[in-house]
Amino acid sequence: MKISEATLEFVSRHANDDVRKLALSAKRTEDLDLTFALDQIAGRQMARTKLPSWFGMADKVLSEGADETHFLVFPPHISMEQCSSEQTAKYKQQVLATVLAIVPGHSCPGISANSAHFIDVTGGFGVDFSYLAQGFAEATYVERQEHLCEIAKHNFPLLGLPHANVLCKELESPLELPFLKDKETVIFIDPARRDNNGNRTYAIGDCTPNILDFIGELLQTVAVVMVKLSPMLDWHQTVEDINRASASGNAVKQVHIVSTQNECKELLLVLSERYETPLEVYCVNDDEVFVYNPNHQHPSPTTYYPTPITQHLFVPNASIMKAGCFTEIENTFGLRQIGKNSHLFVGGDDVEAFPGRVFIIERVTSMNKKELKSALSGIESANIATRNFPLSPEQLRKRLKVKDGGDVYLFATTNDAGEHLIYVCRRR
């Protein structure tokens, strides 16, 4: 990839400047590729938080004044926006490494990373590929957009992947690849989540490519398929759709609901017909991981009305909320929901491993004016959240006449008896 010295110097000089202002004020010269330079500046600024290791590498190159061969290239904004974060890419790397090293008796027969072929059939900027392809004997990146392929060819050697093959090709199905049957293969697919009009899609059959069209045959050919999907999809329906399209009816082995900083980022599915294990769902939020079998039958929960002062209130993280595994949370940690639609849990003891936030309940009040006044006495500011409650946090704040912030947390909800309650809490 040819990058002029003037372009490199411009990127270095304006690395921390406002890109919009630069686009209007920069002096255009014949040897300056301004569009490319602005993409690099914007990409580096986004990478600072999204891809910190890549940012560090790029920043070092700029500070040392290295030439174009060491210059890590970033794509236009839309590709930077859509690519995985370093954190979620590393998580996928960990999942795949675990899948290929499952305990004897459950592993994929005859496959290991150092003898297998990894193929990412929807390469994009290549963040996921750069982590997932590490350790494989052979790795192929497939992408239909030529400019992303050029970036990939330039970047992969810098990222420790000199053996990566780059194939610029538009595929309707991975089955079009002629080398699939040559060796044990692991496929990664990240279907586009927008239709031809740019609208978001919410069903797996509406993504591009539609994996339901070929997943059955593909799973008869390759060892493992890993699919990255939008967190907006209903994972229950997605699992059902894929299993229905597979030969065994039980192809989905793992569902990973991946969140960072309590924001659900993606669904990750591991598919295979090579080994038999019960379906597992992983609810992940940063370092918190809760695993359960959704097909395991639990006894029906009973509503629990806590005695205040000695109780803790537990607020599940975004991945637990997406999974909807509330009965599993109750049974695993010995907790009870305040109400079946509250998704707030209470228990007498603290639980260090709880996947979410934990609060100490100081008092519980109904919405009775006299009781409210007593319970909130001395509280001038508070953080307010509502779950299954007739008022929004803003409406409740206005009624209670308290400011935002502080050390007090008010959780307003409704129990199974239909009572509107407010839990006055502090962080543990």
Side-chain angles (χ1 to χ4, degrees), residues 238-280:
T238 299
V239 169
E240 184 178 326
D241 290 343
I242 292 176
N243 280 340
R244 189 185 302 115
S246 69
S248 68
N250 188 35
V252 183
K253 305 302 182 185
Q254 297 177 2
V255 175
H256 298 257
I257 302 172
V258 184
S259 298
T260 59
Q261 298 181 25
N262 210 30
E263 181 182 351
C264 201
K265 294 294 187 180
E266 61 191 43
L267 294 181
L268 185 68
L269 274 58
V270 176
L271 321 177
S272 181
E273 298 279 28
R274 299 289 185 91
Y275 61 97
E276 291 297 329
T277 55
L279 175 63
E280 291 182 318

Side-chain angles (χ1 to χ4, degrees), residues 309-331:
I309 308 303
T310 60
Q311 301 297 314
H312 292 80
L313 183 139
F314 301 82
V315 183
N317 66 40
S319 290
I320 298 294
M321 294 296 294
K322 175 67 178 178
C325 52
F326 306 120
T327 300
E328 287 80 4
I329 290 292
E330 288 185 312
N331 286 276

Side-chain angles (χ1 to χ4, degrees), residues 9 63 104 124 142 180 243 258 270 279 302 353 392-393:
E9 194 276 332
S63 63
V142 184
L180 272 191
N243 280 340
V258 184
V270 176
L279 175 63
T302 56
S392 68

Side-chain angles (χ1 to χ4, degrees), residues 40 44 54 57-58 61 70-74 154-155 158-159:
Q40 300 317 299
R44 278 161 172 70
W54 293 31
M57 183 189 305
V61 168
H70 297 89
F71 186 87
L72 194 66
V73 175
F74 291 89
H154 177 88
N155 284 347
L158 302 178
L159 295 168

Side-chain angles (χ1 to χ4, degrees), residues 184-383:
E184 295 292 352
T185 306
V186 175
I187 298 284
F188 179 75
I189 308 176
D190 179 7
R193 301 174 183 103
R194 293 182 184 274
D195 61 21
N196 294 331
N197 297 319
N199 300 314
R200 288 188 180 276
T201 57
Y202 298 101
I204 190 170
D206 295 328
C207 296
T208 305
N210 177 5
I211 71 169
L212 299 179
D213 289 340
F214 55 75
I215 197 63
E217 185 177 353
L218 183 64
L219 287 169
Q220 297 298 306
T221 306
V222 305
V224 175
V225 177
M226 180 179 282
V227 185
K228 172 185 169 183
L229 296 166
S230 165
M232 299 300 294
L233 265 65
D234 180 333
W235 72 264
H236 298 87
Q237 186 63 51
T238 299
V239 169
E240 184 178 326
D241 290 343
I242 292 176
N243 280 340
R244 189 185 302 115
S246 69
S248 68
N250 188 35
V252 183
K253 305 302 182 185
Q254 297 177 2
V255 175
H256 298 257
I257 302 172
V258 184
S259 298
T260 59
Q261 298 181 25
N262 210 30
E263 181 182 351
C264 201
K265 294 294 187 180
E266 61 191 43
L267 294 181
L268 185 68
L269 274 58
V270 176
L271 321 177
S272 181
E273 298 279 28
R274 299 289 185 91
Y275 61 97
E276 291 297 329
T277 55
L279 175 63
E280 291 182 318
V281 178
Y282 293 71
C283 302
V284 183
N285 181 56
D286 299 325
D287 295 330
E288 297 173 347
V289 182
F290 179 72
V291 186
Y292 72 99
N293 175 357
N295 297 321
H296 181 69
Q297 297 299 313
H298 293 287
S300 298
T302 56
T303 303
Y304 182 73
Y305 298 95
T307 302
I309 308 303
T310 60
Q311 301 297 314
H312 292 80
L313 183 139
F314 301 82
V315 183
N317 66 40
S319 290
I320 298 294
M321 294 296 294
K322 175 67 178 178
C325 52
F326 306 120
T327 300
E328 287 80 4
I329 290 292
E330 288 185 312
N331 286 276
T332 300
F333 299 108
L335 306 175
R336 291 293 181 266
Q337 292 192 68
I338 295 169
K340 63 181 180 181
N341 294 317
S342 71
H343 310 318
L344 296 171
F345 299 80
V346 289
D349 298 322
D350 194 357
V351 179
E352 288 291 336
F354 181 78
R357 296 180 296 162
V358 181
F359 298 84
I360 298 171
I361 301 172
E362 295 193 335
R363 62 188 76 93
V364 182
T365 175
S366 71
M367 291 298 290
N368 176 273
K369 288 184 178 180
K370 185 177 180 180
E371 191 176 344
L372 265 178
K373 184 177 181 180
S374 174
L376 302 182
S377 177
I379 298 177
E380 296 182 354
S381 61
N383 304 278

